[in-house]
Structure formats: structure tokens, C-alpha cells
Amino acid sequence: MNITLEVNSVEKSYGYSQVINHCSFKMREGEIYGLLGINGAGKTTLMKMILGLQQTDRGSIRVLGRETGVDTEYLSDIGSMIEIPVFYEHLNAVEILSMHLALMGKKGNITETLAMVGLENAGKKCVSRYSLGMRQRLGIARAVIHGPKLLILDEPLNGLDPVAITEMRELLRNLAARGMSVLLSSHMVGEIRHTADRIGILSDGYIKQEFSVAEQEAECGENFEDYVINYMRRKG
């Protein structure tokens, strides 16, 4: 299976604080990879480096075979939602998605995408009237409207009620089934466990443990979350 994302021995420091330390992992086509770590573990920093929003100090990142920092062509094949999505408050969802497509120079089905994220009846409502959960849905709609090959989502289930979380998991699985690779982050074990195919535990700046969710559940049984939390806490 094709490799969509390859992170090789990446390092990133802010002053004397090293946030990412010899971090390496790979993602396959059509895979949902869960980046799991406590708050402050460096998940958002790592995602920003993949998107070229921050430079690496050392190491390399390749997206669809192209090295970040060398060219920006790969960005048109990525969709992302980092931290809380920001919109022009006076615009509605249809206008926001139309503007995004124009900026990307891409085509997409706005009606279909809004329906896919559960906003089919709110497309003409100003974003200023959206709840946090609706904003999360619109952020994901904007991230996928142009049909990216890699989708990067930072804490995508924040602000969603249990029903919406279930629907969003189904959406992510459907996107992966179509061949889209999905990288998502969370500090909540349950969110990642029920969504991702594989989990990478980011701790001390690197992927401390990586495993298939199905295989680890079969091995750990009821102790799955204790096993994961132990690695999240472990130092060195």
C-alpha cells in the first residue's frame, strides 16, 4: 500500500525547550492514524510542520513523495483543520466553501459536502449563529471540499455531542474507505480508540509506542486504556 505521509527523525525546539525530538512515523493510503498525547505533547506543532506552517529544525517530512520545505505543490492535496476553525462571521457556509474552492483553484460539490457533515439545512445561515459543534462540522467540510488525499484534523471531535461524534466517526471511515488518509490528534484515549486504525503515542517529543487498535484491543482486552495511558505518562 502507498505511503501518504513519512516523518523522519524530525526535531523542533522553541528556545531551550525541545517540543519534537527525533520523531518518526508513516501513514498509509486510506488509513486513519491517531496521534495521541497529553496537552502540550507537541501534536499541533507536528501537524503545523507537516502543513509547512512551521519549519523543522532537523529531519524531513514527505507528503505523497514530496518533501515539505522544498516545494508547496503538495499542499493542494491536503485538507486540514488545526485548532479552532476560524471563519468570516458574516458569511454563510455556502459562501465560505465557494470562496475556499476559488482560493484552492479546485472544484467540489458544496451541497453534497454540507450534507456529508450534517449541515444540509444550515448552508444559508450566517456562521455567527453557529454553535461550536456546527463550526467543527463546517471546518471539516472546508477541509474535504476539494477532495484531498491527506486530511489533517487537530482535535476534530471537540464540541460535538455524542450523536455528532458517532456521525463524524462514520464520516472519517467513509473518507478513508475512498482512499483518503486521515491524521487526527486527540488527548482522549476513547476518541482515538473508536476512530483510528492505528495509534501513535506522542510523548517526550517522539512516537513512544505505535500499534494497531484492533490488535492491541485483542491483546489487552479491558486493560486497553490503562495500557495506553501508561505510555502517555511514561518518561524517558
Side-chain angles (χ1 to χ4, degrees):
M1 190 172 288
N2 295 333
I3 299 298
T4 303
L5 171 66
E6 189 171 1
V7 177
N8 296 307
S9 299
V10 167
E11 298 183 21
K12 181 66 179 179
S13 297
Y14 298 105
Y16 294 106
S17 176
Q18 187 161 22
V19 180
I20 303 297
N21 182 21
H22 288 92
C23 182
S24 300
F25 70 96
K26 296 179 181 179
M27 275 185 68
R28 298 185 288 265
E29 181 181 334
E31 176 181 45
I32 302 177
Y33 189 100
L35 195 60
L36 182 64
I38 62 173
N39 289 330
K43 303 183 297 294
T44 300
T45 296
L46 189 55
M47 288 180 159
K48 286 182 176 179
M49 287 192 291
I50 295 169
L51 290 165
L53 299 174
Q54 293 186 4
Q55 293 184 336
T56 60
D57 293 337
R58 293 181 183 84
S60 65
I61 299 174
R62 299 183 70 86
V63 178
L64 301 169
R66 290 167 286 188
E67 188 169 347
T68 64
V70 176
D71 66 63
T72 59
E73 203 173 302
Y74 74 97
L75 292 174
S76 64
D77 288 320
I78 296 182
S80 66
M81 186 175 71
I82 302 296
E83 299 175 326
I84 299 173
V86 177
F87 308 102
Y88 290 109
E89 296 290 312
H90 64 287
L91 298 182
N92 62 43
V94 173
E95 292 168 332
I96 285 169
L97 296 183
S98 296
M99 184 172 63
H100 181 71
L101 287 172
L103 289 171
M104 295 289 292
K106 296 265 190 171
K107 294 181 179 180
N109 190 318
I110 292 174
T111 301
E112 181 181 293
T113 302
L114 288 175
M116 187 169 57
V117 300
L119 291 176
E120 61 268 36
N121 297 318
K124 296 297 181 68
K125 180 188 292 187
C126 286
V127 174
S128 61
R129 298 168 57 196
Y130 273 27
S131 65
L132 177 58
M134 292 173 71
R135 287 169 181 266
Q136 289 289 98
R137 291 167 182 261
L138 181 55
I140 292 176
R142 184 171 61 183
V144 303
I145 184 69
H146 60 289
K149 296 178 181 177
L150 172 62
L151 179 61
I152 298 177
L153 302 174
D154 190 14
E155 306 275 1
L157 302 180
N158 279 358
L160 300 183
D161 59 49
V163 173
I165 287 174
T166 299
E167 292 173 348
M168 199 57 65
R169 285 175 181 152
E170 292 175 357
L171 167 61
L172 295 180
R173 292 191 188 104
N174 288 337
L175 292 172
R178 298 178 191 177
M180 190 181 297
S181 302
V182 182
L183 175 64
L184 61 98
S185 74
S186 181
H187 60 278
M188 302 297 290
V189 178
E191 287 184 5
I192 291 288
R193 176 182 185 179
H194 296 295
T195 308
D197 300 310
R198 281 195 303 144
I199 288 176
I201 300 175
L202 183 63
S203 179
D204 292 331
Y206 67 98
I207 300 297
K208 187 163 288 184
Q209 179 74 320
E210 185 181 72
F211 50 81
S212 157
V213 173
E215 291 175 2
Q216 203 61 54
E217 283 182 331
E219 182 176 330
C220 294
E222 294 180 359
N223 297 318
F224 178 89
E225 293 200 11
D226 291 337
Y227 171 86
V228 173
I229 291 171
N230 179 56
Y231 269 98
M232 291 171 70
R233 288 174 172 169
R234 188 179 297 179
K235 297 293 183 182

